[in-house]
Amino acid sequence: MVISWFTIQAPLRPSLDFVGGTRIQIELACAKKNNCEKPLTTAEVQAILDEEGLGNSSVQVLDKYTLSVRTKTLVEEQRTKLLDTLNQKIGTFDPETSQIDTVGPTIGQELFRSGFLALLVSFFGIAAYLSFRFQRDYAFFAIVALLHDVLITLGVFAVLGLIAGVEVDSLFLVSLLTIVGFSVNDTVVIYDRVRENFVNTPELSVDEIVDNAVSQTLTRSINTTLTTLLPLVAIFLFGGSTLKYFALALIIGFVAGAYSSIFIASTLLAWWRGRSPRPTLNYS
């Protein structure tokens, strides 16, 4: 994310949803004779955009014959002129497959603020619930595990943004919220068993109590994660471009969530409780 910040001035590559502008996605009409003799290249498209005064635009070639251009906000006349130029200099594009989206910068910023606020509210809500249901140290280490899951997902998408030009949109924020909910569910199950073991086996050490709790819930955690991943993998492979990276974010986050619940949240709790005399617990 740091490298991404110094490269593109953002920790992640933002989509049209957040920065505003116009995105044009068009596909060559390969049914027309000699229209798809060679695949598209970003260099030739970028040269055309430079001639049109759109040199700061982002160009991606999808599936050899599909072109995606993200540029500043264009009015209808400018979009029509750009499409005509691309048809003349590259080849005939199929108008039935063209997609044109325009988002104003104000709306994009509002979407980002709303999504970020929703993520913060979810963290505070989870911390408040766990503090009430268990104790404050439980809540703290659960939040540490959740931050781990979110950061792992953000980091992977930062790398994908630099290597493959993958952008994050409003669906990505939805995926982060879903990851947080799934991960804390796994953590709560383990913590609940830890609390029960403190009552049922008070003669054991803290490490043994937490280790037993993890062992007793391990099969459940693995089975839940695997059955959740099956439809997500199917969506990633066959769900189309709109849901592809949404499913990928969930796959990464759910795997990280299963890992953090078992190896981070419970381990840190055992370490913390082992540092001092066993406190009186609230078993309500």
Side-chain angles (χ1 to χ4, degrees):
M1 291 171 70
V2 172
I3 295 172
S4 177
W5 180 270
F6 285 106
T7 305
I8 61 174
Q9 286 73 55
L12 301 169
R13 188 178 293 275
S15 74
L16 206 68
D17 289 359
F18 299 137
V19 296
T22 298
R23 181 180 61 188
I24 301 174
Q25 183 170 313
I26 47 180
E27 183 179 349
L28 283 173
C30 290
K32 187 174 180 180
K33 188 176 181 181
N34 301 326
N35 198 47
C36 294
E37 291 184 340
K38 59 179 182 178
L40 297 168
T41 63
T42 56
E44 62 176 336
V45 178
Q46 192 66 57
I48 295 173
L49 293 174
D50 291 340
E51 294 175 1
E52 297 294 316
L54 301 173
N56 293 327
S57 303
S58 172
V59 179
Q60 282 185 281
V61 175
L62 314 171
D63 302 328
K64 293 184 179 181
Y65 305 111
T66 303
L67 178 65
S68 177
V69 177
R70 194 184 73 182
T71 184
K72 63 181 182 180
T73 303
L74 302 177
V75 298
E76 185 175 355
E77 293 179 0
Q78 293 172 313
R79 296 197 300 265
T80 303
K81 181 183 177 184
L82 178 59
L83 290 173
D84 290 342
T85 303
L86 291 173
N87 275 283
Q88 292 170 9
K89 296 188 176 182
I90 295 180
T92 304
F93 289 91
D94 187 355
E96 294 184 359
T97 61
S98 63
Q99 300 176 22
I100 301 176
D101 303 311
T102 299
V103 177
T106 303
I107 296 177
Q109 294 172 8
E110 181 62 30
L111 280 172
F112 176 78
R113 283 195 297 267
S114 299
F116 186 71
L117 179 61
L119 197 59
L120 286 179
V121 169
S122 68
F123 271 103
F124 282 115
I126 288 169
Y129 167 76
L130 291 178
S131 298
F132 173 76
R133 187 71 175 84
F134 298 97
Q135 286 189 351
R136 280 175 294 186
D137 53 352
Y138 283 81
F140 177 77
F141 294 124
I143 292 298
V144 170
L146 293 181
L147 287 173
H148 162 273
D149 305 337
V150 171
L151 285 174
I152 289 293
T153 308
L154 291 173
V156 171
F157 271 78
V159 174
L160 291 175
L162 290 172
I163 296 176
V166 175
E167 299 175 344
V168 296
D169 54 14
S170 53
L171 272 180
F172 182 73
L173 289 176
V174 175
S175 70
L176 293 182
L177 290 167
T178 309
I179 290 166
V180 167
F182 178 87
S183 180
V184 77
N185 180 63
D186 249 4
T187 303
V188 165
V189 170
I190 296 175
Y191 277 179
D192 197 53
R193 189 56 59 90
V194 169
R195 190 177 59 172
E196 290 177 1
N197 288 350
F198 269 119
V199 177
N200 298 330
T201 55
E203 71 280 0
L204 298 180
S205 68
V206 173
D207 286 346
E208 290 174 320
I209 288 174
V210 174
D211 186 59
N212 289 339
V214 171
S215 299
Q216 291 162 4
T217 57
L218 186 62
T219 301
R220 179 261 180 206
S221 298
I222 294 174
N223 289 341
T224 302
T225 302
L226 288 178
T227 52
T228 307
L229 289 178
L230 289 175
L232 290 176
V233 171
I235 293 172
F236 176 73
L237 295 176
F238 309 110
S241 58
T242 305
L243 295 176
K244 181 177 181 179
Y245 291 110
F246 172 71
L248 179 61
L250 292 180
I251 291 170
I252 296 168
F254 285 3
V255 172
Y259 170 84
S260 67
S261 296
I262 297 169
F263 296 105
I264 295 179
S266 58
T267 304
L268 288 177
L269 180 66
W271 167 78
W272 176 256
R273 288 293 175 98
R275 294 174 68 250
S276 55
R278 189 177 301 179
T280 303
L281 299 178
N282 175 19
Y283 300 114
S284 59

